[in-house]
Amino acid sequence: MMAYIARRLLYAIPILIGVNLITFVLFFMVNSPDDMARAQLGAKQTTPAMIETWKAERGYDKPLFFNNEAPGLVKFTNTLFVEESLKLFVFDFGRSDSGRDIGADILERMWPSLQIALPTFAIGLITTITLALLIVLFRGTALDTSAMVIAVMIMSISGLFYIIAGQVLFSKILHWVPISGYESGWAGVKFVILPVLIGVFAGLGAGTRWYRSIFLEEINRDYVRTARAKGLSEIKVLFKHVLPNGMLPILTGVVVVIPSLFMGSLIMESFFGIPGLGSYTIDAINAQDFAIVKAMVFFGAVLYIIGLILTDISYTIFDPRVRLS
Amino acid sequence: MMWVWLWTDIMIWLLVVSLGLWGWTISRSPQVKAQWIAIFRSKIAMTSAIVLLMYVSIALLDSLHFRLALPDQPVGEKVQYQGQTLSVLDWVFGEIRGKVERTYSAPFALKEHSSSIVKTDDGQIKQVALDLTHAGSHLVAAEDRNQDILLKSLWAIFVAGLLSLLFISLHLYWRARATNVRWRQQAGLVLKGKTDLPWRTAYLTFSIGLIVLAWLYHLGHYYHVLGTDKVGGDVLYQSFKSVRTGVLIGVLTTLVMLPLALILGISAGLFRGWIDDVIQYLYTTLNSIPGILLIAAAVLVMQTMIMNNPHWFETATERADIRLLVLVLILGLTSWTGLCRLLRAETLKISQVEYVTAARAFGVSRFKIIGRHILPNVMHIVLIAVVLDFSALVLAEAVLSYVGVGVDPTMYSWGNMINQARLEMAREPMVWWSLLSAFIFMFILVLAANLFSDRVQRVLDPKNN
């Protein structure tokens, strides 16, 4: 097992190097530090001297790959590629263009993101699976059809509308929850409840359809037929046999999402003023802070790869048919 | 008048032409034709297809651009053109486009939404809601409004009803000639719903669509049917102009993504070895970057490039168009990975099948094998992926525009409308009509696309049979 995990981690390295190269090419070769400086300082009244100081302050004045002026090995290390890109591998995210420590920011902003993402994920999973099972119980009836029509409708609405409509209805008209804001701990529940509910509802359509198809696939298998032949009631068949067997594809599909929960939701957080990683990224995009965007791209990629590895491991743990090799 | 061909116009019309050619080729293959007929046998699919066609037609009308010549020019000299680029859709809208008010006004309102401070003739300062300049200016008294709306609605419904009757009878006549069944009999079958394809539903959808469009258009000349926005622009006009942006992003992205996914996916599955390794590495790497971040990063880079090179573009329309094009390119470059993986797996499977092995043993060239055996056998995956992606892309446009990395802020798009609506929500009393219009226009398009793609998936996916 350990050897397997180690090998998977080794496989991740070339992929992360690739991600790194992509961001490096985008941010330092296509879009040179000069362009960034001009964008940050405002296009009109910038002098070459101002651009030079801006670059020097942020360490963007080094050559790309090869530093001719430095002695010995430093020729290779005192470059933009090593300083700005390779350091990400040891999770040294450096400083943002406005001078803040990105690593510390990420550590601090991770928790508000989790506070929204974890309940949304857990409640969403439980509701969609329950709904899907209920719909499978009534398969082929008008209830099934209408539920699927409603699911498609829920899927067809942009997430932005759910957020805006939710804010208007529950905060502006009914005054049940504050419109936006954040507090840590239990005091923050009133701020968290609406984004969580909206997140759960927005995912309801796609989730229910997906789980329904998984359960429908299971229900046609031989073991289900045997269980029915034994005289088990339909509900018992569903919960005792179909659900546990359907959990396997569900689980493996879900594990991949878990690490990305740290990233938070870009849109949700910025609408509700929650100081998580999502709103951090959006603010960085709006402020054209390339250092933060670059760090978040790398961070996101790391989380995604962890998710993939976790999925494979969960497969081996829960499905005895899969052998590690 | 001078025709202007924006890059996205050229792309979309090329796509229409190639789709036409493709349609012509498949119409000669009875198998594929039967599959398509099976798709349209469902009433929901027929309705969605007609709705989608209406959206696409609006987008196409909006993709024919021209610049008018300046009036009163001396004869014999080089003609000067207006700076403004118009489209055929603008021309259809005619005066509706120019009816700009001062600020917000509600749908069908005769007065402005918020009151302004005015000095009356006798020197008093009062707060009143001012009259709108264009809406209802034909009315003698404001009380006549409801009656006027009713009369004009009836007229629009009547004319549109007649028009759709005309089109339906033409179609019936054409089908009667094609099938050798007398058209009276044909009409009877349609009315009873006993035709092979659900023509009754199709005719009904078409008529309803035509009536709604005619109603909006006719009343749009006299009122702001969907209200006006912050700077007094007509929301009805904006919603229709946004159709092009939404449809183009959905359709053109496919155009960028498809060749990449097809070429890389099939080569990975067919050639295997190091080619397979490289391609797999490529899509895993791209896939592991969170989509929206990669898009945002690329768009940011593009924004600075456009900002540093203002001399590349002659008009603001061209600049906005290039931005749309680059957005489409970026979306295409980030979304080919999923389809590529599916195609690779399917190609691997197909290339193991006996007849392909036999073909290879006979020395049939790789290209011929691809063209004759692999491409036709993966087409269903391609089609399913394409129709599934469309609605996701339309929705993505809204989110990206909200984040600030979508289309140009000057371009009409549902995303920009929603983005602006965010600030309007905080106003007292609330301005809801921009948001609602964007919502409805977008919802109908995405819903139709989702329903249609469901049907395509059900018919074409061999797993479901």
Side-chain angles (χ1 to χ4, degrees):
Chain A
M1 190 70 166
M2 286 315 287
Y4 174 74
I5 296 174
R7 205 170 59 234
R8 287 301 310 262
L9 285 174
L10 278 182
Y11 278 140
I13 291 176
I15 292 172
L16 283 177
I17 292 178
V19 171
N20 223 316
L21 269 177
I22 291 175
T23 46
F24 186 75
V25 168
L26 270 178
F27 286 158
F28 292 102
M29 293 172 83
V30 179
N31 186 49
S32 68
D34 286 30
D35 293 330
M36 284 185 227
R38 265 194 291 274
Q40 286 282 320
L41 297 168
K44 290 210 176 99
Q45 60 278 28
T46 39
T47 58
M50 281 164 76
I51 291 178
E52 285 310 315
T53 26
W54 187 89
K55 277 160 62 186
E57 274 168 16
R58 283 156 190 80
Y60 290 163
D61 53 349
K62 301 184 183 85
L64 288 176
F65 292 107
F66 187 75
N67 195 345
N68 250 333
E69 288 154 26
L73 263 183
V74 186
K75 270 192 197 322
F76 296 97
T77 55
N78 192 20
T79 57
L80 267 181
F81 185 64
V82 172
E83 289 286 319
E84 298 296 327
S85 251
L86 283 187
K87 271 196 175 165
L88 290 175
F89 276 98
V90 286
F91 294 96
D92 178 359
F93 293 116
R95 294 197 164 271
S96 73
D97 289 346
S98 55
R100 292 177 59 88
D101 183 352
I102 298 177
D105 273 350
I106 289 181
L107 276 180
E108 188 191 314
R109 283 168 166 266
M110 215 166 74
W111 305 111
S113 285
L114 279 178
Q115 223 169 330
I116 302 284
L118 273 181
T120 311
F121 172 74
I123 299 174
L125 198 63
I126 295 168
T127 0
T128 41
I129 289 179
T130 324
L131 273 176
L133 274 176
L134 276 177
I135 292 168
V136 169
L137 189 64
F138 292 100
R139 65 187 172 279
T141 64
L143 192 86
D144 184 15
T145 328
S146 39
M148 283 308 102
V149 171
I150 294 171
V152 177
M153 286 188 164
I154 292 178
M155 277 165 66
S156 303
I157 296 172
S158 166
L160 296 171
F161 284 108
Y162 289 118
I163 299 175
I164 297 177
Q167 277 188 330
V168 168
L169 183 66
F170 295 107
S171 307
K172 260 199 91 172
I173 298 176
L174 295 172
H175 295 290
W176 285 358
V177 284
I179 208 155
S180 68
Y182 177 75
E183 243 176 277
S184 59
W186 286 108
V189 171
K190 61 174 188 281
F191 293 110
V192 168
I193 194 157
L194 186 59
V196 167
L197 284 181
I198 290 174
V200 168
F201 190 78
L204 220 54
T208 317
R209 269 165 59 102
W210 162 242
Y211 296 135
R212 173 182 170 267
S213 66
I214 287 177
F215 291 135
L216 277 184
E217 209 165 291
E218 281 302 311
I219 217 157
N220 291 322
R221 300 254 158 110
D222 290 338
Y223 72 88
V224 178
R225 219 168 296 152
T226 320
R228 269 201 216 111
K230 283 194 308 191
L232 283 186
S233 73
E234 189 66 24
I235 294 188
K236 264 199 180 147
V237 171
L238 274 182
F239 280 88
K240 284 240 168 100
H241 294 276
V242 175
L243 181 62
N245 284 291
M247 276 321 275
L248 186 72
I250 291 174
L251 188 92
T252 46
V254 150
V255 169
V256 75
V257 198
I258 291 175
S260 59
L261 292 179
F262 289 93
M263 283 284 283
S265 152
L266 294 171
I267 311 299
M268 197 73 92
E269 285 179 10
S270 85
F271 258 99
F272 286 97
I274 289 154
L277 288 176
S279 55
Y280 186 55
T281 316
I282 286 212
D283 292 346
I285 291 171
N286 286 331
Q288 309 219 346
D289 194 321
F290 289 90
I292 297 179
V293 178
K294 184 186 65 188
M296 294 310 286
V297 166
F298 186 78
F299 189 54
V302 171
L303 292 178
Y304 177 81
I305 291 169
I306 294 177
L308 284 185
I309 296 175
L310 283 182
T311 312
D312 285 353
I313 295 172
S314 73
Y315 244 131
T316 60
I317 294 177
F318 293 99
D319 192 343
R321 284 170 302 185
V322 179
R323 284 271 160 272
L324 295 179
S325 56
Chain B
M1 197 173 77
M2 172 174 71
W3 289 102
V4 178
W5 290 99
L6 300 175
W7 281 106
T8 47
D9 293 346
I10 298 173
M11 280 176 78
I12 190 79
W13 284 104
L14 269 179
L15 191 69
V16 169
V17 170
S18 40
L19 274 181
L21 283 175
W22 183 61
W24 179 70
T25 35
I26 63 165
S27 73
R28 299 190 309 173
S29 147
Q31 264 171 311
V32 187
K33 206 173 158 188
Q35 269 187 333
W36 277 99
I37 290 176
I39 289 175
F40 286 104
R41 217 163 261 155
S42 135
K43 283 180 189 166
I44 293 178
M46 186 60 113
T47 311
S48 333
I50 290 173
V51 172
L52 286 176
L53 257 180
M54 285 183 168
Y55 271 90
V56 171
S57 318
I58 294 171
L60 287 178
L61 280 185
D62 206 7
S63 298
L64 290 168
H65 286 94
F66 55 83
R67 275 160 79 181
L68 288 175
L70 285 171
D72 308 325
Q73 293 191 45
V75 186
E77 276 175 49
K78 198 167 168 269
V79 189
Q80 298 287 313
Y81 293 97
Q82 289 178 348
Q84 196 185 20
T85 313
L86 295 176
S87 73
V88 173
L89 188 76
D90 291 327
W91 174 77
V92 170
F93 265 92
E95 22 173 340
I96 298 180
R97 189 167 47 87
K99 286 186 172 171
V100 176
E101 304 291 345
R102 231 165 46 91
T103 176
Y104 291 116
S105 68
F108 287 113
L110 299 178
K111 290 180 182 302
E112 283 176 4
H113 180 60
S114 45
S115 43
S116 4
I117 295 164
V118 244
K119 214 170 170 184
T120 49
D121 294 335
D122 49 350
Q124 276 183 324
I125 288 172
K126 278 207 302 192
Q127 262 203 337
V128 285
L130 292 174
D131 281 337
L132 293 176
T133 338
H134 301 288
S137 52
H138 63 290
L139 293 173
V140 185
E143 295 80 56
D144 297 343
R145 187 189 69 164
N146 290 351
Q147 201 193 357
D148 182 62
I149 292 174
L150 186 70
L151 282 175
K152 290 201 158 55
S153 308
L154 286 177
W155 171 244
I157 293 169
F158 173 70
V159 173
L162 273 187
L163 255 180
S164 55
L165 262 184
L166 177 76
F167 282 121
I168 290 169
S169 359
L170 274 176
H171 184 247
L172 269 179
Y173 175 71
W174 172 75
R175 274 186 57 227
R177 274 191 54 174
T179 54
N180 270 333
V181 182
R182 296 218 344 259
W183 80 271
R184 256 163 196 274
Q185 218 174 337
Q186 191 83 258
L189 286 175
V190 169
L191 272 180
K192 285 182 212 141
K194 284 190 174 158
T195 42
D196 182 30
L197 290 174
W199 286 117
R200 188 173 58 178
T201 320
Y203 292 156
L204 207 64
T205 318
F206 175 73
S207 310
I208 291 173
L210 201 64
I211 287 172
V212 170
L213 287 179
W215 182 78
L216 286 172
Y217 181 71
H218 185 58
L219 271 89
H221 278 96
Y222 302 98
Y223 300 95
H224 296 293
V225 180
L226 301 176
T228 54
D229 71 349
K230 191 179 177 186
V231 287
D234 190 75
V235 174
L236 176 74
Y237 174 68
Q238 287 172 12
S239 313
F240 271 99
K241 288 291 276 185
S242 305
V243 170
R244 175 178 189 262
T245 316
V247 170
L248 252 62
I249 285 189
V251 171
L252 291 186
T253 304
T254 319
L255 192 73
V256 178
M257 170 196 97
L258 214 54
L260 268 173
L262 269 175
I263 293 172
L264 293 179
I266 290 182
S267 352
L270 197 65
F271 298 116
R272 282 172 246 171
W274 65 270
I275 298 181
D276 190 17
D277 289 338
V278 170
I279 292 170
Q280 274 198 65
Y281 170 71
L282 212 63
Y283 69 62
T284 326
T285 308
L286 270 178
N287 229 358
S288 53
I289 304 177
I292 193 163
L293 282 183
L294 186 60
I295 295 166
V299 172
L300 275 185
V301 169
M302 179 258 307
Q303 254 173 10
T304 18
M305 276 173 83
I306 288 180
M307 212 175 69
N308 290 334
N309 300 289
H311 53 272
W312 287 354
F313 319 102
E314 213 173 303
T315 57
T317 320
E318 273 177 44
R319 198 192 62 215
D321 184 68
I322 288 293
R323 214 179 133 163
L324 178 66
L325 183 73
V326 178
L327 184 67
V328 160
L329 285 177
I330 294 169
L331 281 171
L333 283 176
T334 50
S335 60
W336 58 272
T337 51
L339 179 59
C340 183
R341 196 163 53 199
L342 289 177
L343 285 175
R344 174 182 168 271
E346 193 68 16
T347 312
L348 268 177
K349 217 162 48 182
I350 295 170
S351 58
Q352 301 299 321
V353 177
E354 277 99 357
Y355 60 79
V356 179
T357 335
R360 206 177 286 164
F362 279 125
V364 179
S365 79
R366 285 251 159 103
F367 283 106
K368 270 201 179 147
I369 291 180
I370 292 178
R372 216 177 273 166
H373 300 301
I374 293 175
L375 262 185
N377 283 312
V378 297
M379 264 339 257
H380 67 277
I381 295 183
V382 173
L383 258 174
I384 292 169
V386 165
V387 289
L388 278 182
D389 278 354
F390 177 81
S391 45
L393 287 165
V394 175
L395 291 178
E397 185 272 318
V399 171
L400 290 174
S401 296
Y402 167 75
V403 181
V405 293
V407 297
D408 198 85
T410 59
M411 193 168 216
Y412 293 114
S413 88
W414 294 314
N416 283 337
M417 283 170 79
I418 300 168
N419 196 5
Q420 206 200 350
R422 236 194 122 193
L423 308 169
E424 293 166 353
M425 287 293 122
R427 287 179 69 93
E428 239 6 285
M430 207 163 69
V431 174
W432 45 267
W433 43 88
S434 278
L435 182 69
L436 194 72
S437 311
F439 166 73
I440 293 173
F441 272 83
M442 210 165 143
F443 177 65
I444 295 175
L445 175 64
V446 176
L447 184 65
N450 272 337
L451 291 172
F452 190 69
S453 65
D454 259 15
R455 180 68 188 173
V456 170
Q457 204 173 6
R458 183 170 305 166
V459 174
L460 295 188
D461 199 340
K463 262 189 287 179
N464 291 325
N465 294 326

